[in-house]
Amino acid sequence: MKRRSSKSLPAVTDSPSFPIVGLGASAGGLEALESFIKGVPADSGMAYVVVQHLDPTHKAMLAELLQRCSAIPVVQIKDRMKAAPNRVFVIPPDCDLSIDHGMLRLQSPAAARGLRLPIDFFFRSLAHDLNTRAIGVILSGMGADGQLGVRAIKENAGAVFVQSPETAKFDSMPRNAIETGVADAVAPAEELPGRIAAYLQPLSKRVPDELDMEEKDRGSLDKIIVLLRGHSGHDFANYKKNTLYRRIERRMLLHKLARIEEYHGYLRKNPAEAELLFKELLIGVTNFFRDPAEWELLRRKVIPGLLTSNLNFETVRAWVPGCSTGEEAYGLAMVFKEAVEQARPPRNTAIQIFATDLDQEAIDKARAGIYPVGIAADVSEARLRRFFVEDERGYRVSKEIRDAVIFARQNIIMDPPFTRMDIVSCRNLFIYLESELQKKLIALFHYSLNPGGILFQGSSETVGEAKEWFTAISSKSRIYRRVKTSRQPENFEFPVSNFRRQRDASASVPPKAEPNLQTAADHLLLQDYAPPAVLVTSQGNILYISGKTGKYLEPAAGKANLNLFAMARKGLSEALSEAFPRAVRQKSTVTLKSVQVASHVSRRVRESSGDSLFVDVAIHPLTEPEAMRGLVMVVFSDLAVPAKLPSAKTGASHGAASVRAELKAAILELQRVRNELHEARTEMQVSQEELKSTNEELQSINEELQSANEELTTSKEEMQSMNEELQTVNGELQAKVTELSRASGDMNNLLNSTDIATLFLDIKLNIRRFTTETARIIKLIPGDVGRPISDLASALDYPSLISDVKEVLASLVFKESQISTRDGRWFAIRIMPYRTEDNRIDGVVITFSDITTAKNLETDLKGALHTLEERFTTQSTELDHAKALELVLQKTQSILEKRVAELKKPIA
C-alpha cells in the first residue's frame, strides 16, 4: 500500500484511544446496517466505519440512507479524514480504505472489479493499527470477503462479532466468518451494538498493554493452566502470562465474569468451556508470504546459496513448527520451486517439508489445502495461476505443492524434534512463549539443523543470546544460518518428557491381580488349542494376531511392514493374493485347502526330517459386531502330516514309478501353466493398449473440462460480484422508491384536495398525469395516460388549446384564458411550462379554475347597469338630470368593476 510523503501529513504519532468498529456488508447489507445503526446510542464513544461492496459507477446514497435511522452523524469518507468517536464513516464507491494512526486513507483499488475484497483490506489495516481496540463486524453478504480480515483482528487481540446467518438476507459472509472459529459473538444485527458495548465495558478498568501479574490472582491462573493440562494433555505454563490472561479475559467478558477466580470456578463446573478456552489459546492466524521482503530474500539469495553450498542435494528437508493452517509451509514450497528454477542446480532437487502444529483442526484444514479467494491480496497473480487451482470454495493448492508437504500433529515443547533439517521456518511462535522456553527452542533448532542450515524467524523474533550458534544472512533480516560447531548450546534439552511420563506411568501401575480359574482356562484354550488367526483390514494390514503364526508369517526384510501379503511365507503368499481380494469383493468366506507352505527350517533339515507343512486357510469378511465391520479374519488350520514313504529296500521299484508319474504330471502342469501365462500376457497387452487409448481420450476430455471449468469459474465470480453490487444498488433504490411513493401519495392528496383541476402533458403533448377534477372537464380515465390530448373529447369551447400549448412550449411564457363549456360553466385556464429539477423543459402544466359563479355575477351586474341606463335616458331630458345620471352610472359601474375584480382575485 502506497503512502504519501510524511511532509504532507499532520503530526499523528499515536493510534486512537477509542475503539473503532469496522462494519463489513455486501448483498442485502443495507437492511442489516440499518438494524445495527438503529441500536447505536448517541454517546457510545466508538467510531463506526462502514465498508460495503458498491457499484463504482453508481451514485453513492448509503450515507444519506443510513442518516435517516442514525442517532449520530453519518458522513462519507474523504481521503485523510480523521476518525472520531460517535460518528459513522461510509466508504465511497470505487475505493479501497485503510487506516493509519486513526487517519482514514482512500486509494484506487489494485484488484480488478469482481476480485476486490475491500472488507479484508480494511479489517487487516484496522487490526494492525488498533490491536485490542479493533472490532470487526460481519453482516449480510455473499462470498468470503472479511474471512481473512476477522482472523487478523483476532490475531491482534481484537474482537469479532457476526450477524447470525438465519437473520441475514444472504448468509455466505456470516457463515464463512463463523467457520474461521474466531467469532466472539453471533447474534442478530440489532443486538450486536449491545453485545459490543457489554464487551468493551471493562476495558476502561484495565491496562491495555502490559499487565502487572502481581495485581492479578496468579494462583487462579496457575490452577486454570493445570485444568487445561488435565483436559488436553498440553502444558501452557511456559506461555507468556500476559497473553494467557488476555485470552482468558476474553472468555470472562463473554460470560460476564468480573474476577479470574469466578472463571476458574466456572471452568471446573463446565468441561465444555475448557475445550473452548483450549481452542482460544491455540488460535494461530497466519497468511501467505507475511513480510514479503523476507520471502523475496529467501527466494533470491538464501535458497540458491544453500543449493550452491551442497551440489549433491537430492532432497532438501525442511521443518515448519507451528504451521497453523499451512500457509507458511505451502509458501515455502512455492518459493523453493521458484528458487530452483532461478539457480538451475546441476541435478534435480526436490523439497520435503514437515509441517507440524498442536491444533488438530488447523492441521486438518492445512491438509485440505483449500483457501478463500481473499488470499489474492497476499499471493501474486502469477503464483495463483501456477501453484493453485480454482475451486468452488476458493483456491486449492496444486498437486506438486501439496505432495511436497507432510502435516502432523506435534507439541514442539514436549515431543522429539525432526532432525537433519536444511531449513527450519518458525515464524511468529516465539511471541507467545516465555524467554526461557525460547532459549530452549533455539537450542533445539540448532540440534535439528545440518551445518549451514537455515533458520527463518518472524519479524519480531531473534535468536537472542545464541548468536554464536547462528549468524544473520543480513543485518535487517530474521533469516539465520547455523554455524558449524561440534558443541551444543549449554541449555540444550532434548524433549523426552512424553516418553518419561509414559515410563513413569508404566512404573507406577500396580501389579495385576492373580487371574481366577475361568480366566486362566480361557487363556490356555486360546493359546494352545484355538487355531492361529490374524485380524486384518480390507487392504491386508494386520491389526491383531491370535496364537502362534510363525509357521505362516514372517517379517519381511527391510523396513518393518505389518502387511499380511508382505509377511506370508512362500506358497501361502500366492494363494492369499488370489483368494483375499475375492473374499473382500464377494463379502463371503473363501477357504483354501491343502496349501503347501515353505517351512521356516532350512531345506536340508526339512528333507532329512521328512516334514512337509500343509495348511487350510479360511478368509472370513466380518459384518458383526459393528466395531469390526469391514475387517477380515484369516484363520490357519494345520493338516495332518502324510505318512512316510516306504523304505528304499522294500519299495524301490514302486518309488521309481511313482516318481516318474509325478514328474510327467508336473511337466504337463507346467506346460499348461505356461500356455495360460502366455494367453494372460497377450490379453494384458491388448487391455493395456486399450487402456492407454482410453486414458489419452480421458486426458483430452479432462483438459477440455478443466478449461471450461476455469472459464465458468471466472464467469461465476464476475456474476457473483455483479450480483452483489446489484443487490446493494437494489436495496438503495428500494429505499428511494419508498420515499418517492410516500411523496407521490402526499402530492396526490394535495392536488385532489383542491378544486383546481390539473393536467400534465409531456413534451409531445401526451397525457402524463391528471387529477380527479380534470375528468369533469375532459373525458379521462386512468388508461388514457400516454395518449395525445388531441385524441380526447372535451366539454371546453377551446379550439385553440393545442396551438396555445405549443406557443407556451416555444416561448416558455405562461398563458391565461377564460373559456366556457358547452353546459354553461366557465374556467380560468392557465398554461405553464413544466420544469424538471435540473431546469429542463419537459412538457406543460394546465390548471382549470372554475369561475362560473363570478361569470354569472358579472352578467347580472351588466344587465342591471343596462336597465338603469335605459330608465334614466327615457325619463329625463334635462342636462342636470343627464349629468346627474351620468355620474350615478359611472359610480355604479366603478362599484361593479371593483366587485368583479374582487371576485376574480381569489380564483386566480
Side-chain angles (χ1 to χ4, degrees):
M1 182 173 61
K2 295 182 180 179
R3 296 185 177 180
R4 301 185 179 183
S5 172
S6 59
K7 294 181 180 180
S8 62
L9 297 178
V12 179
T13 57
D14 298 323
S15 297
S17 58
F18 53 88
I20 294 182
V21 181
L23 299 168
S26 179
L30 179 60
E31 180 180 347
L33 286 169
E34 289 179 340
S35 300
F36 183 94
I37 295 298
K38 286 179 182 177
V40 174
D43 57 349
S44 66
M46 291 175 270
Y48 302 85
V49 181
V50 177
V51 182
Q52 191 178 20
H53 294 178
L54 300 173
D55 184 356
T57 63
H58 185 69
K59 181 182 177 181
M61 297 184 292
L62 186 58
E64 176 185 348
L65 296 173
L66 293 180
Q67 185 63 76
R68 300 176 308 168
C69 57
S70 175
I72 57 178
V74 181
V75 296
Q76 184 167 296
I77 298 171
K78 297 181 180 179
D79 189 26
R80 301 173 65 201
M81 179 180 284
K82 188 71 179 296
N86 301 321
R87 296 284 190 279
V88 178
F89 300 89
V90 178
I91 187 174
D94 201 26
C95 286
D96 277 343
L97 175 66
S98 62
I99 185 169
D100 184 20
H101 294 97
M103 184 171 291
L104 300 170
R105 305 287 185 89
L106 297 176
Q107 62 186 60
S108 299
R113 184 180 178 186
L115 301 176
R116 300 173 188 172
L117 300 171
I119 300 173
D120 274 335
F121 189 85
F122 176 71
F123 277 18
R124 293 168 76 171
S125 172
L126 181 67
H128 296 145
D129 195 48
L130 274 86
N131 298 323
T132 58
R133 291 184 296 278
I135 300 173
V137 178
I138 296 295
L139 301 175
S140 171
M142 293 190 296
D145 195 7
Q147 190 173 10
L148 297 179
V150 296
R151 296 182 67 185
I153 289 176
K154 191 72 171 183
E155 178 188 15
N156 288 273
V160 176
F161 296 83
V162 182
Q163 181 182 4
S164 52
E166 57 272 14
T167 65
K169 193 171 183 180
F170 294 90
D171 62 359
S172 296
M173 277 175 48
R175 289 192 184 279
N176 284 322
I178 293 171
E179 285 178 1
T180 62
V182 301
D184 292 297
V186 179
E190 59 270 16
E191 297 180 12
L192 291 179
R195 296 288 188 95
I196 295 173
Y199 171 82
L200 292 174
Q201 188 175 3
L203 285 178
S204 59
K205 302 179 182 179
R206 68 176 184 176
V207 181
D209 297 322
E210 291 298 326
L211 293 170
D212 186 2
M213 291 305 298
E214 296 299 324
E215 299 177 1
K216 305 295 178 183
D217 192 340
R218 189 182 295 272
S220 294
L221 182 60
D222 293 339
K223 292 177 184 177
I224 290 175
I225 294 175
V226 171
L227 280 177
L228 286 176
R229 185 190 306 152
H231 171 79
S232 64
H234 301 294
D235 191 359
F236 291 92
N238 291 314
Y239 279 56
K240 288 183 178 178
K241 298 301 183 291
N242 291 354
T243 302
L244 287 177
Y245 190 87
R246 278 197 293 268
R247 296 297 172 92
I248 292 172
E249 191 177 37
R250 296 170 67 87
R251 303 300 307 172
M252 292 167 55
L253 292 173
L254 293 175
H255 294 294
K256 299 181 180 179
L257 300 176
R259 303 180 60 190
I260 192 171
E261 294 90 348
E262 297 176 4
Y263 183 73
H264 173 246
Y266 180 83
L267 197 63
R268 292 184 60 186
K269 296 177 182 178
N270 297 274
E273 177 64 19
E275 180 65 22
L276 293 174
L277 178 59
F278 176 67
K279 291 181 178 180
E280 178 83 15
L281 297 176
L282 289 184
I283 289 176
V285 182
T286 182
N287 53 273
F288 283 99
F289 306 111
R290 181 183 298 184
D291 304 322
E294 296 286 288
W295 286 95
E296 181 64 18
L297 178 64
L298 195 70
R299 183 191 68 83
R300 180 173 44 83
K301 180 179 178 181
V302 177
I303 294 179
L306 183 68
L307 297 175
T308 304
S309 63
N310 190 345
L311 300 179
N312 295 323
F313 269 132
E314 290 186 358
T315 301
V316 173
R317 292 163 54 85
W319 178 26
V320 183
C323 68
S324 188
T325 48
E327 288 91 335
E328 184 180 337
Y330 288 131
L332 180 60
M334 297 175 200
V335 168
F336 181 84
K337 295 283 186 183
E338 295 172 345
V340 168
E341 292 178 358
Q342 172 189 341
R344 295 183 180 179
R347 60 192 309 170
N348 293 330
T349 305
I351 188 170
Q352 183 67 68
I353 301 174
F354 302 92
T356 63
D357 197 272
L358 186 60
D359 188 357
Q360 184 61 47
E361 290 186 4
I363 289 293
D364 293 339
K365 291 181 181 179
R367 283 174 177 156
I370 299 175
Y371 298 95
V373 294
I375 65 171
D378 303 312
V379 183
S380 66
E381 186 176 350
R383 283 174 173 161
L384 284 176
R385 286 197 307 267
R386 178 178 177 186
F387 298 120
F388 290 88
V389 178
E390 291 191 42
D391 187 90
E392 60 181 4
R393 292 167 290 178
Y395 291 100
R396 175 168 45 86
V397 292
S398 63
K399 188 177 185 300
E400 66 167 334
I401 297 299
R402 180 62 187 88
D403 292 345
V405 186
I406 298 174
F407 292 98
R409 189 180 185 187
Q410 180 198 41
N411 187 333
I412 189 176
I413 303 172
M414 305 173 67
D415 295 334
F418 292 87
T419 57
R420 296 183 293 108
M421 294 290 116
D422 301 301
I423 301 174
V424 172
S425 178
C426 182
R427 314 194 72 225
N428 301 302
L429 174 64
F430 282 16
I431 59 177
Y432 302 110
L433 307 178
E434 296 282 4
S435 59
E436 191 62 29
L437 181 57
Q438 292 182 20
K439 294 178 182 178
K440 292 181 179 180
L441 291 181
I442 287 294
L444 187 69
F445 293 156
H446 184 272
Y447 170 81
S448 299
L449 284 168
N450 291 326
I454 301 301
L455 174 61
F456 188 18
Q457 290 192 289
S459 58
S460 301
E461 302 166 337
T462 65
V463 295
E465 300 175 359
K467 294 183 179 179
E468 59 177 310
W469 311 106
F470 293 93
T471 179
I473 299 295
S474 68
S475 58
K476 296 182 180 180
S477 73
R478 292 294 182 266
I479 306 177
Y480 301 90
R481 192 184 307 277
R482 183 190 188 274
V483 176
K484 187 176 182 180
T485 177
S486 60
R487 186 169 63 90
Q488 286 291 333
E490 297 177 357
N491 56 356
F492 173 68
E493 179 182 348
F494 197 87
V496 293
S497 53
N498 269 0
F499 304 119
R500 186 184 301 117
R501 186 166 59 251
Q502 293 174 2
R503 184 177 66 250
D504 295 342
S506 62
S508 62
V509 174
K512 295 182 179 179
E514 289 294 330
N516 56 28
L517 185 61
Q518 180 180 355
T519 303
D522 291 342
H523 179 73
L524 182 62
L525 288 171
L526 290 173
Q527 182 175 358
D528 295 334
Y529 296 98
V534 292
L535 182 66
V536 300
T537 65
S538 58
Q539 289 78 34
N541 296 321
I542 298 175
L543 302 178
Y544 182 77
I545 299 176
S546 175
K548 298 179 180 180
T549 58
K551 293 183 292 183
Y552 323 106
L553 307 176
E554 65 176 348
K559 186 178 180 180
N561 187 354
L562 289 178
N563 186 274
L564 178 65
F565 307 111
M567 296 181 65
R569 292 184 180 276
K570 186 176 181 181
L572 181 60
S573 176
E574 294 81 358
L576 283 175
S577 298
E578 185 276 331
F580 188 90
R582 178 154 46 92
V584 173
R585 185 172 59 255
Q586 298 175 355
K587 295 183 180 179
S588 60
T589 301
V590 174
T591 303
L592 301 174
K593 295 291 187 179
S594 303
V595 179
Q596 185 174 5
V597 184
S599 177
H600 61 287
V601 299
S602 66
R603 179 178 180 182
R604 180 179 299 174
V605 174
R606 188 166 62 249
E607 290 176 350
S608 63
S609 63
D611 290 338
S612 298
L613 180 59
F614 292 87
V615 62
D616 287 347
V617 183
I619 305 172
H620 303 282
L622 302 179
T623 57
E624 293 181 352
E626 179 69 25
M628 300 180 69
R629 181 173 296 175
L631 303 181
V632 181
M633 183 73 74
V634 181
V635 182
F636 305 98
S637 301
D638 287 350
L639 298 180
V641 178
K644 293 183 178 181
L645 295 173
S647 62
K649 293 180 179 180
T650 58
S653 60
H654 175 73
S658 177
V659 169
R660 284 195 297 270
E662 290 179 358
L663 182 59
K664 184 177 180 180
I667 292 173
L668 293 174
E669 179 67 18
L670 180 60
Q671 184 64 35
R672 184 184 65 81
V673 171
R674 284 179 177 175
N675 293 335
E676 291 180 355
L677 181 60
H678 178 72
E679 293 176 359
R681 284 179 176 176
T682 303
E683 292 178 359
M684 184 184 68
Q685 289 177 353
V686 173
S687 300
Q688 190 174 9
E689 291 177 358
E690 293 178 354
L691 288 174
K692 285 182 179 180
S693 176
T694 304
N695 185 43
E696 290 176 357
E697 293 178 359
L698 290 176
Q699 285 181 347
S700 176
I701 295 173
N702 186 43
E703 290 176 358
E704 294 177 359
L705 290 176
Q706 285 181 347
S707 176
N709 184 47
E710 291 175 357
E711 294 176 359
L712 289 174
T713 302
T714 303
S715 300
K716 176 186 174 183
E717 290 181 352
E718 294 177 353
M719 292 300 295
Q720 182 175 345
S721 176
M722 292 297 295
N723 189 33
E724 290 178 2
E725 295 175 358
L726 289 175
Q727 288 288 345
T728 303
V729 173
N730 185 49
E732 296 179 353
L733 291 179
Q734 283 181 348
K736 280 294 184 183
V737 167
T738 302
E739 289 185 358
L740 290 174
S741 298
R742 189 180 297 112
S744 178
D746 295 342
M747 184 60 64
N748 285 333
N749 281 279
L750 174 63
L751 292 175
N752 292 329
S753 64
T754 65
D755 292 332
I756 303 175
T758 307
L759 176 64
F760 297 86
L761 303 180
D762 61 17
I763 199 70
K764 295 181 179 179
L765 305 188
N766 297 325
I767 296 174
R768 174 183 290 162
R769 191 172 190 166
F770 59 89
T771 61
T772 54
E773 287 292 325
T774 313
R776 297 174 54 194
I777 305 170
I778 303 175
K779 303 301 181 181
L780 291 172
I781 59 174
D784 289 331
V785 174
R787 293 182 61 187
I789 185 63
S790 59
D791 292 351
L792 301 176
S794 172
L796 293 172
D797 188 12
Y798 193 7
S800 62
L801 174 62
I802 303 300
S803 60
D804 288 350
V805 170
K806 292 181 178 179
E807 181 182 346
V808 171
L809 285 175
S811 63
L812 304 182
V813 178
F814 72 89
K815 188 178 184 63
E816 290 182 323
S817 303
Q818 293 183 2
I819 305 297
S820 65
T821 62
R822 297 182 179 87
D823 57 0
R825 292 178 296 163
W826 281 84
F827 291 92
I829 299 178
R830 186 182 180 93
I831 305 174
M832 297 170 290
Y834 181 94
R835 295 181 183 272
T836 62
E837 290 185 357
D838 54 355
N839 200 27
R840 182 172 52 86
I841 303 300
D842 194 26
V844 295
V845 181
I846 307 175
T847 59
F848 303 86
S849 301
D850 193 343
I851 59 171
T852 303
T853 303
K855 276 293 185 181
N856 291 337
L857 180 59
E858 181 182 1
T859 302
D860 293 344
L861 289 174
K862 286 183 178 180
L865 178 61
H866 181 68
T867 301
L868 287 174
E869 288 178 350
E870 288 180 350
R871 182 179 300 175
F872 278 98
T873 301
T874 57
Q875 292 182 357
S876 178
T877 57
E878 295 182 0
L879 181 60
D880 293 338
H881 289 174
K883 290 182 178 179
L885 179 60
E886 184 177 357
L887 291 173
V888 171
L889 290 174
Q890 288 179 355
K891 189 173 183 179
T892 302
Q893 186 175 358
S894 177
I895 293 171
L896 289 174
E897 288 179 352
K898 288 181 180 180
R899 183 59 178 166
V900 170
E902 289 176 357
L903 290 173
K904 289 183 177 181
K905 187 174 182 180
I907 295 176

